[in-house]
Structure formats: structure tokens, C-alpha cells
Amino acid sequence: MAEPAASVLDVRDLKTVFRTRGGEIHAVNDVSFHLKPGELLGVVGESGSGKSVTMMSLLRLLPAPPADIRGGKVLLNGRDLLAMSDEELRAVRGAKIGFVFQDPMTSLNPVFTLGDQIMEPLIKHLRMSKAQAQARAIELLELVGIPGAAQRLHQYPHQFSGGMRQRVMIAIALACDPDVLIADEPTTALDVTIQAQILELVKDLRRKLGMAIIWITHDLGVIAGIADRVMVMYGGQVVEHAPVRELFANPQHPYTRALLQTIPRITGPRTARLKVIEGQPPILTAPLTACPFRARCEHRFDTCDAVNPPRRAIDGQPIGQGHDVACHWVAPAMQEPADA
Amino acid sequence: MLDAQPTPLVQVQDLKMHFPIYTGLFRKHTGDVKAVDGVSFDILAGQTLGLVGESGCGKSTVGRAMLRLYEPTAGRVVIDGDDVATLAPEALRKKRPTMQMVFQDPQASLNPRMTLAEIVSEPLDEHTNWTRDQKLERVYELMDQVGLNRRFVNRFPHEFSGGQRQRIGIARALALKPRFIVCDEPIAALDVSIQAQVVNLLEDLQEKLGLTYLFISHDLSMVRHLAQRVAVMYLGRIAELSPSKDLYARPLHPYAEALLSAVNEPDPVLAAQRKRIILKGDVPSPANPPKGCNFCTRCPRVMDICRTVKPDLLEVEPGRLVACHLYTAAGSTGASEANERNQQGENQ
């Protein structure tokens, strides 16, 4: 079914709506992307941009009454996750796709030992015996760099520091050797030195295990260091997509450009004043009929109020393969800091 | 109240904040968490001192102990001429208007049952005997200063976004015209695009009102942007205190060096070239800090002396104070006593 047979994951026109008492919230609007084996896709956007909801929708992890996946396809190795029965989907979650959540403090169960929590997917998905699972759990803990794994297995989450817990979360996500690892802001809650440890670990694991990774973050600095391709989200849709170097060297969307200028640098000349993106992200109570960024955009013109811009390629490659942007405004060629 | 005065507005000397640990049936005092263990620095009037470090290093405790939100265990905190650490309760209450705080989490630091007007005028109720109208007038003035629309005056905190809530927190801190503000991670809970708005506001207010800031943050790039001088804390002590431009160009303390190398540069080309110093392990517990230098358990350049002797914070280059044996042990191991409590405000 998947035309570029190379993709492990192929998401097409995904659409998720939350039904609330105040009306509908259109959280994910026709999001399409794909992931090749061994690739790391960075997903950037601020809170409310739809990045986490998109990933939760893939695995249908959102509670069903408020959340409603209105359309789209999520093809994992050619099979549509959205069309699967709950039973089939359960076999995919944790086994084919691993998920690492943001907060290592709350995503481990405090009343079970780490051993229990790492072994659970092994016993459930891979039908391992307890002894096998235990051996594999020790192996996993060693893989993610936890010293004294055999003893640590019998300890509870509170006996671990934040960085260690995040390593455990990664170990659990990796337990069944998934094809895809989705990491939702896995380093945001951690200190910089611990964050650096985790980033090195992930780079290293990727080299060893060769799985594809989706890395969600709001930190462009993290993305710059690890991603192959980047997808920028705003208002529940993809506003720009490009290979990482291209995105940073030649950002097209006014939002991406502004985002790159709002953050101070640690090297180079000190910025006199930070650029500000005025206003707030939109609340998506209606389907988008105009550009979601228009209220905060400095390049806004008439068309922006009338038509929600579709993604258009800017380097001649098909959408989602090379550099594309969802914006009516045509950015002046190259050179980003020159303009106001 | 223009800046460029060479006098320090704030002087902290050997500040200690120990929290007792009680154990057993009789709640016996068995030890202390030495959250802050001998911290000294000055802040010049109209300037910003950045205080950086990882969580648990004691940076927030320094800010809180300085404003007597905690009772400091020892040390002096001279703010605008008075030693806040030892002021009697009534004198302290009179002192409070000069020193204020902006908290990290605007969600948690604003009472959800109070309107914006009530929140911002609460300090006025406490410290002035103005009439209602006078207070409301001041609230409006403050709302203009922090960029909140006057129409929102009767709204509740939940009706505001995170960035707006932080503006309310700033307006409240400004209500009594303070000279010194402790900003405790004021942008940590905000989105990137909103962070810049709040940081620019803090800078504008500093310029307009001649404020002096202690800016506590774990965001090293933002501290570089805001602060003239930066103190790097590790496990309750200052590892390095340097002018911002020197620290970021060439950190001296191995911890400062590692911390800076861990910051992610938003540039893929640079990111690929940079060498990171990956520290092993986690920060030790402040209830049981290592003997000798606090950093000796993780330091990539640890020497024998580090495990036994605690290094003092000494001026190793003009204006730069470092607590590390690498810079003292080489030349003068024992003779460092003389210039030990070397006053630090003279430079800059």
C-alpha cells in the first residue's frame, strides 16, 4: 500500500478533533509525514501546536470520548493503525512502536519495581518467560547506561534520579526492539548536563539498533544536534519541513524564522535585544480557513486571511521529501538575518 | 536612581542555609541538608547578576534566603544598607517594599480566587494606607508598565495565558517600587516565543526604573543575554563568579566548562563540530556532600587534593572568582589565606 516502500511509518492527512463543552477544538489538521528506517525526525512547535496530540493520535492513545480521529491514515510497514481492532493495536503499542514520555517523574508506576515495569512488555508482547525477561531487562538497563543493573532491577522509581528514570523509560520503550521510537520532549524536564547524557545515549543507541526516531521538542538547540529532518508545527498543521541543515540555513516560514531569532545564543556576538513574536498561539475552535499564524505574522497580506496555505515545495522535490513550506509569502532567497 | 553607580546595592557574605534533618521516634536532629553553604557575591545597582546551576544546586534557596523567605542559618545579606538576614520583624516588614520576587510558576503563584486588581494591589493594602481609588490608579499604571490591557483588571488568573500571568506576577512585584528584584526562573514555564516577550519586558523595566536583578535560571543562553555577571553554583556553593562575557568565552572552573558545553546550540553545523564534556553521574545529595571539593566526584580534571581540601572562592584573574584547586594549588597552596576574603566588588 505504501508507495515509497522504504518508509516504516507513513502518516497521511491525519485529522484529530476534540469535542468539548465549549465546542470542537481542531488540534491536528491534515498532518502528513513519513519516516524511513534509521532516521530521526524532529518535530518542533510550542505548546498547543499539536505535536504531542499528533503522536498520541498515531497510536490512538487519546481518550476516545473527547478525542475523535476524523480522518487520515497511519501506515506502519504498510498496515493502517487507524483501521486496526483494539486487539491488533495492542500488539503494536510497545512492541513495534515505543513511546518515551516527557516527564520521567510521573510516567513510571511508583508501586512497582523497575524490573516489573521493564519486564512487562517483554512478557506480554514477546511471550518471554520470567527468567528470560529478567536477563533481557538487565541487558537493557546496561544498554542505557545504568550501572549495577542486576541490583537496580529490584528498586523502585523513587530510588532513581530524574536522568536515571528517563534512561529507564528509554529502556522500557526499547524493550521489544521497536521499529519506531517516539520521544515526546524526553529531555525537557532534565538539567542540561543530564540532557547531554541522554542525547548522547540516544545517538549511540540509534547507531547500534538502527531504529527510526520521532523526537518532539520545543528546543531548537536539541533538534540542531540530533535530527536528520525537521517538521515545524503550528496551529495543528505542518508549516515547514526540511532537512535539518537546510531548515536552519534557509528557513522559509515566518514562524520558523522568528523562532530562530527569539532564542539567544551561547556563542557569537550577544544579541542586543531579543526578537519577539507578538501575541499568542491560536485556539483552534473552527477548521482552519486562513493561515493560523496570520495574527502574529509580519509578512501578512490579503491572501493570508482568505486561504489557509497548502504545503508547497521550494526545492522541486515532492512534499515531505525535501524542503516545503505552508506559507503564501515567498521568502527572499537565502540570507535570513538580513531582514527585519 | 540612574545606574552606573559603582556601589553594590546588594552584598551577600557567607550566606548559609541549612535545613535540619530529624529522624527516629524522638525526631532527633541527625544532620543538615546544606542547601546553601557559604555563598558570597555583590550586585551593583542597576545591574543583573545571573545565578545558574542545575536543579538542587541551591540557587532558588539563595534567592529565598536573601529575601528572608527562609531564615538564613548564617551570613549577611546587605540590601540597600540594611542587613536583611538579622533585621527585627517590624523593621523587616518596612524593608520588604525595597526587595521583591518574581516566581517561577505564574500558575501557582497567583491566587486563583483573586482578580488581577486584587492580586496586584495586595502589596499596597499591606504597606500603604491609600484609598481604593489611589490603589486602582496604581494598578492601572502598573498594568501599562507591564503591557497588560486595562480592560482585564477584573479578570481572574485562569483567564490569562502563561505569559500574561507572568506579567501579573511582575506587576505585583513592582507595586511597591522596589529597588531589588529576585527573578526565580521567571521564564522556565513559558513557551519559547513568549519567553522573549517577558525577558524584553524585564530589560525595559530595569532600564526605566533602575532596577537591580538577581536572575536565577538554568537557561544559560538567556542568562548570557541578560546578566553582566554570572555566578555558577554547584551543590550549595559558587564554583565560578565572572563577568558574563569572560565566562562564556572561556569558563575557568571545570564545572562551568562542562555546563556550558552541554548547552545545545541551535545551529546544526556548529552542533556537529562542538566538543561536549559529558559529566558522569548525578549531583550528589546536599545532605551528604563529598569531602573536599563538592565537584570532585564528577570532575574530569580531579586531583588528589580535591578529595580532601575544600577550595575557596578566590580571584584568579581580574574580576574572576573561581573555587578550584587547578588555579591555586599550582602556585600557592598554603599562602592563599591572606587574600581569602578578598572583597569582590572593586572590579567592573
Side-chain angles (χ1 to χ4, degrees):
Chain A
M1 204 182 274
E3 7 89 320
S7 301
V8 234
L9 186 69
D10 195 356
V11 176
R12 296 184 203 165
D13 299 323
L14 187 70
K15 215 177 179 58
T16 304
V17 174
F18 288 97
R19 290 191 206 150
T20 66
R21 264 185 297 172
E24 292 187 334
I25 304 286
H26 296 254
V28 179
N29 300 301
D30 298 317
V31 167
S32 301
F33 64 92
H34 70 96
L35 197 62
K36 295 198 195 91
E39 199 179 30
L40 198 149
L41 174 72
V43 181
V44 192
E46 48 196 316
S47 18
S49 63
K51 52 194 195 312
S52 295
V53 179
T54 302
M55 298 312 152
M56 305 274 266
S57 301
L58 297 188
L59 284 177
R60 298 189 354 224
L61 287 175
L62 298 164
D68 177 13
I69 299 174
R70 284 277 164 86
K73 280 194 169 124
V74 178
L75 304 173
L76 179 74
N77 294 321
R79 293 178 66 209
D80 190 354
L81 299 185
L82 299 184
M84 279 183 183
S85 68
D86 289 352
E87 196 66 25
E88 288 173 305
L89 192 61
R90 206 169 301 139
V92 171
R93 289 181 188 149
K96 300 279 181 226
I97 300 185
F99 216 115
V100 181
F101 295 93
Q102 172 170 0
D103 190 354
M105 302 300 165
T106 53
S107 38
L108 286 169
N109 190 330
V111 300
F112 289 101
T113 65
L114 287 179
D116 291 338
Q117 297 186 59
I118 301 175
M119 281 148 61
E120 186 185 343
L122 296 169
I123 294 168
K124 288 230 165 99
H125 288 301
L126 302 184
R127 305 278 141 90
M128 281 187 183
S129 70
K130 198 149 183 232
Q132 281 175 315
Q134 189 156 349
R136 171 78 176 141
I138 293 173
E139 202 181 300
L140 283 164
L141 285 182
E142 277 165 0
L143 184 71
V144 296
I146 292 181
Q151 295 86 52
R152 288 293 219 166
L153 221 48
H154 304 292
Q155 293 185 342
Y156 290 88
H158 74 267
Q159 292 167 293
F160 287 73
S161 66
M164 283 294 179
R165 278 184 240 187
Q166 198 56 288
R167 285 168 190 265
V168 172
M169 288 303 297
I170 293 173
I172 295 174
L174 294 177
C176 299
D177 211 355
D179 299 329
V180 178
L181 179 72
I182 301 177
D184 188 356
E185 309 237 13
T187 57
T188 307
L190 305 175
D191 278 309
V192 274
T193 59
I194 309 296
Q195 189 177 26
Q197 290 176 358
I198 299 287
L199 290 176
E200 285 304 309
L201 170 69
V202 169
K203 280 190 210 168
D204 189 42
L205 289 176
R206 214 182 126 201
R207 228 174 295 133
K208 276 189 208 151
L209 308 176
M211 72 228 156
I213 302 176
I214 298 175
W215 192 281
I216 307 174
T217 180
H218 64 261
D219 188 339
L220 286 161
V222 170
I223 286 294
I226 58 167
D228 299 315
R229 285 186 296 130
V230 187
M231 180 165 103
V232 183
M233 291 190 70
Y234 192 84
Q237 58 188 16
V238 180
V239 294
E240 186 159 5
H241 168 276
V244 66
R245 292 204 175 193
E246 167 74 6
L247 185 90
F248 281 85
N250 188 20
Q252 293 292 307
H253 199 284
Y255 176 64
T256 317
R257 289 173 166 234
L259 216 48
L260 284 168
Q261 288 169 23
T262 53
I263 36 176
R265 299 290 173 102
I266 196 106
T267 53
R270 187 184 160 276
T271 26
R273 197 169 166 81
L274 297 178
K275 189 183 165 79
V276 162
I277 309 178
E278 292 296 348
Q280 303 291 330
I283 296 161
L284 307 156
T285 45
L288 291 170
T289 53
C291 175
F293 189 61
R294 69 188 187 285
R296 306 173 80 184
C297 185
E298 55 189 20
H299 301 291
R300 173 185 186 171
F301 58 99
D302 297 348
T303 322
C304 306
D305 301 325
V307 185
N308 185 15
R311 288 166 73 176
R312 67 183 159 83
I314 67 154
D315 56 0
Q317 298 202 54
I319 304 291
Q321 304 289 329
H323 192 171
D324 61 74
V325 62
C327 181
H328 297 298
W329 177 70
V330 180
M334 300 314 263
Q335 288 294 317
E336 34 107 19
D339 62 352
Chain B
M1 224 180 279
L2 286 168
D3 51 68
Q5 288 169 286
T7 52
L9 181 78
V10 178
Q11 287 171 290
V12 176
Q13 282 161 13
D14 211 18
L15 181 68
K16 287 185 182 163
M17 185 68 235
H18 295 179
F19 296 99
I21 306 169
Y22 299 103
T23 46
L25 184 59
F26 300 106
R27 305 276 90 192
K28 216 173 111 214
H29 182 188
T30 50
D32 291 292
V33 174
K34 295 176 179 172
V36 177
D37 199 22
V39 161
S40 307
F41 55 82
D42 294 351
I43 313 176
L44 301 187
Q47 288 205 347
T48 301
L49 177 77
L51 188 57
V52 299
E54 297 175 85
S55 32
C57 74
K59 55 190 193 303
S60 290
T61 309
V62 168
R64 287 168 175 259
M66 279 175 75
L67 298 189
R68 276 278 285 280
L69 300 183
Y70 296 141
E71 288 298 322
T73 311
R76 278 158 57 82
V77 180
V78 180
I79 298 177
D80 202 12
D82 297 299
D83 183 3
V84 175
T86 54
L87 276 184
E90 187 50 30
L92 179 65
R93 210 182 76 86
K94 293 232 166 66
K95 185 75 186 170
R96 292 235 175 256
T98 51
M99 46 185 209
Q100 291 290 319
M101 187 149 182
V102 176
F103 295 91
Q104 168 169 6
D105 185 353
Q107 176 91 46
S109 61
L110 303 177
N111 187 333
R113 289 166 182 271
M114 287 165 79
T115 63
L116 189 159
E118 286 165 351
I119 290 169
V120 176
S121 64
E122 198 181 14
L124 302 169
D125 299 340
E126 184 66 24
H127 289 278
T128 69
N129 42 23
W130 294 358
T131 64
R132 254 184 101 112
D133 288 348
Q134 281 175 312
K135 283 188 262 188
L136 189 64
E137 194 42 49
R138 176 72 181 142
V139 170
Y140 279 137
E141 198 182 302
L142 289 162
M143 288 176 76
D144 293 344
Q145 273 183 355
V146 301
L148 285 166
N149 193 320
R150 287 188 175 205
R151 279 186 300 138
F152 299 162
V153 73
N154 288 319
R155 292 199 184 175
F156 289 91
H158 75 264
E159 296 175 89
F160 294 94
S161 67
Q164 286 172 324
R165 276 188 215 134
Q166 198 52 286
R167 286 172 197 264
I168 300 174
I170 294 171
R172 175 176 61 186
L174 290 175
L176 296 165
K177 306 198 168 156
R179 299 195 63 199
F180 173 57
I181 298 183
V182 173
C183 304
D184 188 3
E185 305 251 17
I187 54 167
L190 305 176
D191 260 316
V192 209
S193 73
I194 310 297
Q195 285 186 353
Q197 294 178 3
V198 173
V199 165
N200 284 354
L201 173 67
L202 287 171
E203 279 186 304
D204 290 344
L205 291 169
Q206 179 166 46
E207 200 173 306
K208 248 184 268 167
L209 308 173
L211 298 169
T212 304
Y213 291 143
L214 176 70
F215 191 84
I216 301 169
S217 181
H218 65 263
D219 184 340
L220 287 129
S221 329
M222 202 54 98
V223 168
R224 174 175 186 245
H225 175 78
L226 271 168
Q228 284 81 28
R229 291 195 307 151
V230 180
V232 180
M233 269 188 87
Y234 186 78
L235 212 58
R237 295 170 67 89
I238 292 181
E240 177 165 355
L241 175 61
S242 288
S244 166
K245 58 177 191 318
D246 298 335
L247 178 75
Y248 286 86
R250 189 171 53 89
L252 295 178
H253 195 286
Y255 177 64
E257 196 184 351
L259 196 63
L260 285 173
S261 84
V263 175
N264 297 294
E265 184 71 27
D267 183 331
V269 183
L270 277 179
Q273 294 164 353
R274 281 181 84 208
K275 267 206 218 86
R276 280 171 174 242
I277 302 165
I278 305 285
L279 291 177
K280 299 267 184 299
D282 293 305
V283 186
S285 156
N288 184 20
K291 247 186 105 198
C293 175
N294 281 342
F295 189 51
C296 70
T297 53
R298 297 171 85 197
C299 184
R301 298 163 73 183
V302 65
M303 305 177 291
D304 287 341
I305 183 175
C306 306
R307 298 190 211 277
T308 49
V309 182
K310 212 174 264 274
D312 288 306
L313 188 67
L314 300 173
E315 185 162 8
V316 301
E317 278 178 30
R320 304 194 65 175
L321 296 118
V322 179
C324 180
H325 291 302
L326 281 173
Y327 299 93
T328 48
S332 53
T333 319
S336 56
E337 249 126 78
N339 52 1
E340 239 179 39
R341 295 269 155 252
N342 191 350
Q343 269 307 84
Q344 55 214 39
E346 60 203 339
N347 43 72
Q348 275 230 354

